[in-house]
Amino acid sequence: GGRHLMTIFLHEIRQNRLSLLIWTLAIALLLLICMIMFPEMNTGMGDVTNMFANMGSFTQAFGMDRLNFGDVMGFYALECGNILSIGGGFFAALLGINVLAKEEKERTAEFLLTHPLRRRTVIFQKLLSILFELVLMNLVVMAISAASFALIGEELAVREFLLLHGAYTILQIEIACICFGISAFIRRNGIGAGIGLAALFYFLNIFKNISDQAEFLKYITPFAYAEAADIISDRAIDIRLLILGLIYAAISIAAAFLKYTKKDIAA
């Protein structure tokens, strides 16, 4: 059995390798383009910073009032933060949302074994494959980003850089885990639900930034602890919100295990 131990894990990685490659390259390329634009924009950046600082709610929505665009880390946090949060968040949702549902769609025989232990193994390996892909994507993106700083001759603030990327990686893992939980309960393609959830979280964070009344939303959306402006200005991540996010992720995983081990899978 040792050889078959990671069959499902490897099967998932193989199945997803093309989309993993495309998303990783797309995100890395967008980051690279942003960074290459920085020196050129930086010459007229004083005006840009002033302009952005005076756009009311729009400024607040993206935390622009708290970032200095003339500073390379401020610029990176905003531009790259948005690319990473939207791109990474959507990719995480797509990875998670169909991973348990698709066995029914594709009627995959090896998963239909009724043995509960076997089902647990299936879930565990599928979950592992998602986490592996997200971590891999983030490591590649970080390497390319770090190289882009060197390319334009700017100093990389290592602590802020690692905190930012750490927060976005955990944000993606949380979204993937929540979608993974949902995946155990649905019987058909859930792409719409996955993307919808990621978008909902993103917009809840924007509402939270604009209105004090919506401050409580920070306890719901993972984008709250991956708020680039906070991470750069505090040089820290809000640990309470991060832990809360990990609790949501854990509950979702537990729900997936409970549901999937008891689910009647249509053969």
Side-chain angles (χ1 to χ4, degrees), residues 119-120 123 184-185 251-263:
R119 287 247 182 124
R120 279 206 292 275
I123 302 179
F185 291 84
I251 292 169
S252 305
I253 292 169
F257 271 90
L258 288 169
K259 173 69 181 167
Y260 198 73
T261 44
K262 297 187 175 45
K263 190 177 185 182

Side-chain angles (χ1 to χ4, degrees), residues 1-214:
R3 200 164 50 83
H4 297 299
L5 222 61
M6 298 308 281
T7 322
I8 297 158
F9 174 80
L10 294 169
H11 171 74
E12 287 294 326
I13 302 286
R14 264 199 306 275
Q15 263 195 324
N16 286 335
R17 62 175 186 256
L18 188 64
S19 64
L20 176 66
L21 183 71
I22 291 169
W23 280 85
T24 304
L25 289 179
I27 291 172
L29 192 66
L30 285 168
L31 291 177
L32 194 60
I33 291 167
C34 274
M35 291 308 285
I36 289 170
M37 281 161 47
F38 176 74
E40 201 174 315
M41 288 177 73
N42 198 19
T43 48
M45 215 35 137
D47 319 332
V48 178
T49 303
N50 289 337
M51 182 181 83
F52 276 141
N54 299 315
M55 285 166 67
S57 316
F58 182 74
T59 307
Q60 279 172 314
F62 296 101
M64 295 180 187
D65 46 343
R66 291 171 295 152
L67 284 174
N68 170 18
F69 301 107
D71 169 52
V72 71
M73 283 313 289
F75 176 80
Y76 183 75
L78 182 79
E79 294 290 335
C80 304
N82 272 316
I83 294 168
L84 260 178
S85 59
I86 299 173
F90 281 12
F91 179 58
L94 290 175
L95 275 181
I97 198 71
N98 280 334
V99 71
L100 294 174
K102 68 180 179 188
E103 298 321 326
E104 275 180 76
K105 231 175 38 238
E106 299 165 7
R107 308 269 189 262
T108 319
E110 62 175 323
F111 298 86
L112 306 181
L113 296 170
T114 45
H115 203 280
L117 174 80
R118 188 57 194 240
R119 287 247 182 124
R120 279 206 292 275
T121 313
V122 168
I123 302 179
F124 179 69
Q125 291 194 22
K126 281 176 174 273
L127 183 63
L128 209 59
S129 75
I130 293 174
L131 300 182
F132 174 79
E133 287 172 66
L134 287 176
V135 170
L136 183 65
M137 178 182 86
N138 282 285
L139 288 174
V140 172
V141 166
M142 280 173 77
I144 292 173
S145 278
S148 74
F149 275 84
L151 190 71
I152 61 170
E154 288 286 348
E155 187 72 36
L156 174 68
V158 178
R159 182 189 168 97
E160 287 88 334
F161 182 79
L162 292 176
L163 284 172
L164 256 182
H165 282 276
Y168 283 118
T169 305
I170 295 168
L171 163 128
Q172 292 163 24
I173 287 172
E174 184 190 333
I175 290 177
C177 289
I178 293 172
C179 287
F180 184 78
I182 296 170
S183 178
F185 291 84
I186 57 180
R187 289 190 176 275
R188 54 186 188 282
N189 192 323
I191 286 181
I195 292 286
L197 185 76
L200 175 71
F201 281 151
Y202 184 76
F203 286 110
L204 288 180
N205 191 54
I206 286 179
F207 297 145
K208 166 193 78 76
N209 287 347
I210 294 173
S211 156
D212 291 338
Q213 267 77 48

